[in-house]
Amino acid sequence: RDRDRDRDRDRDRDRNKDRDGKSSGTRTQYRDSPKSQFESSNTGKDRRPKWGKAEDEDDQKKKINPEDKEKANFGLSGVLNEDEKTGMMYKGILLKWSEPPDAHMPKKRWRIYVFKNDEILDTLHIHRQSAYLVGREEKIADILVEHPSCSKQHAVIQFRVKTTYPENAGALAKPKRTVEPYLMDLGSTNGTFLNQRRIDESKYLEIGNKDVVKFGESTREYVFIKEES
């Protein structure tokens, strides 16, 4: 009997161990939740959460495919390259103006005397072409101005054909045509001044003999002189 009693006690003890083992195993399995979105599929590595819809590898390749990107072309097909806006590109730079149909080489010789504090710094001969670009862009400027208040393409001196009719000469009078210089501001920040008055931008204004022009806040004065001979 004592032996049977001990056997029953040992059987009950083994049953309790099995029951405890099953319950502990269940608890352990419950704690092993599926991998969260913060964990990487590669063991031992973590990464930041990726929200939203994952992109396909093909889509990523399309986005970074260099063949799909348009390459910039800074070259010129000849001296001038036509542009939709102004019609003129020069040395790879878009010009802010294009010469008008009545542009013409001057028939008279014009000079510009450059003064600073009543001292002559330079003499510019401007009868050798129909237009002169004024600005800080050394690559394209015909008259280079280095003052920081001046724009890269500040203004233009444009020779144009001017047609006049004699007064009281009647309908049969022949028109007189001359070539005169005109000044136009190209939308500069600090303006262009003719005889101490700031001119409107994008509008031609005739320059007369002995007129004085200034650009921006520069103290240099550009005096236009026309040879009458």
Side-chain angles (χ1 to χ4, degrees), residues 17-211:
K17 285 183 180 181
D18 293 341
R19 191 183 301 111
D20 293 339
K22 288 182 180 180
S23 60
S24 62
T26 304
R27 286 195 296 270
T28 303
Q29 186 176 6
Y30 183 79
R31 287 195 297 267
D32 290 340
S33 59
K35 292 183 179 180
S36 67
Q37 57 188 346
F38 293 86
E39 297 178 359
S40 172
S41 58
N42 297 328
T43 58
K45 295 183 180 180
D46 293 333
R47 65 178 180 180
R48 295 181 180 179
K50 186 173 182 181
W51 305 106
K53 185 178 180 180
E55 296 178 351
D56 295 335
E57 293 183 0
D58 294 339
D59 294 338
Q60 292 179 354
K61 289 180 181 179
K62 289 180 181 179
K63 289 186 178 181
I64 62 175
N65 189 356
E67 296 179 358
D68 294 337
K69 295 182 179 180
E70 183 178 359
K71 296 181 180 179
N73 182 12
F74 298 103
L76 293 176
S77 58
V79 180
L80 294 178
N81 203 20
E82 290 298 322
D83 180 79
E84 293 179 0
K85 222 171 188 181
T86 65
M88 291 191 70
M89 289 280 292
Y90 183 59
K91 294 183 178 179
I93 298 176
L94 174 64
L95 299 182
K96 291 186 176 181
W97 109 105
S98 59
E99 293 197 68
D102 58 359
H104 203 284
M105 289 275 292
K107 296 180 179 180
K108 298 285 185 177
R109 292 191 174 186
W110 284 82
R111 298 190 305 273
I112 300 176
Y113 292 101
V114 184
F115 285 87
K116 184 176 183 180
N117 299 328
D118 297 328
E119 179 184 355
I120 296 180
L121 301 180
D122 201 358
T123 302
L124 308 176
H125 299 274
I126 57 169
H127 61 275
R128 297 185 176 97
Q129 58 193 56
S130 59
Y132 292 82
L133 178 63
V134 182
R136 288 192 299 109
E137 184 62 72
E138 186 175 0
K139 191 175 180 181
I140 60 174
D142 299 299
I143 300 177
L144 185 65
V145 288
E146 298 180 341
H147 197 275
S149 67
C150 296
S151 301
K152 291 183 178 181
Q153 297 184 54
H154 194 100
V156 62
I157 301 166
Q158 176 72 62
F159 284 94
R160 305 175 64 187
V161 175
K162 179 182 179 182
T163 304
T164 57
Y165 294 88
E167 295 182 1
N168 303 323
L172 299 178
K174 293 183 178 180
K176 181 181 179 180
R177 291 184 174 87
T178 58
V179 180
E180 305 296 340
Y182 289 78
L183 180 66
M184 183 171 67
D185 182 88
L186 298 177
S188 65
T189 303
N190 296 300
T192 302
F193 300 84
L194 177 60
N195 298 328
Q196 299 182 351
R197 295 184 62 181
R198 182 168 180 167
I199 66 174
D200 296 332
E201 63 181 57
S202 304
K203 183 178 180 181
Y204 284 112
L205 196 63
E206 184 178 355
I207 302 173
N209 191 29
K210 299 181 181 180
D211 279 351

